[in-house]
Amino acid sequence: MSKRPDLTAMSEAVQAWYQFYEVPRNDHSSRVLCSAAVELYNDGIRNVDDIAAALIGTYIGVWSTKINAPTSASVH
């Protein structure tokens, strides 16, 4: 039996990104950030603060979520 993903942790990490950059939530950015949070979680990053820090460091402001990148690793 596999462990269920901690959706609350990932959601809190995405919310922390929005709070850090003080930008309004929007569907496109949320999809990008949630997808990246899931990828980070699957890569073994399970702590809310660690996921949030990775999102904040990878997606610098709302404009960076506009890039049509398939994974968070594609954004530089």
Side-chain angles (χ1 to χ4, degrees), residues 3 5-7 10-11 14 19-22 24 27 31 33-34 43 51 53 55 59-60 65 69 74 76:
K3 183 179 177 191
D6 187 349
L7 299 177
M10 290 182 274
S11 176
V14 170
Q19 291 170 351
F20 182 86
Y21 286 109
E22 298 178 337
D27 288 342
R31 279 192 298 275
L33 294 167
C34 287
D43 286 346
I51 295 170
L55 292 175
Y59 295 94
I60 312 298
T65 64
S74 300
H76 299 285

Side-chain angles (χ1 to χ4, degrees), residues 2-10 37-38 41-42 46:
S2 64
K3 183 179 177 191
R4 292 180 52 144
D6 187 349
L7 299 177
T8 301
M10 290 182 274
V38 168
Y41 188 91
N42 288 339
R46 303 294 165 91

Side-chain angles (χ1 to χ4, degrees), residues 3 13 22 34-35 42 45 48 51 56 62-63 65 67 69 75:
K3 183 179 177 191
E22 298 178 337
C34 287
S35 182
N42 288 339
I45 302 173
V48 173
I51 295 170
I56 290 166
V62 72
W63 61 267
T65 64
I67 296 171
V75 178

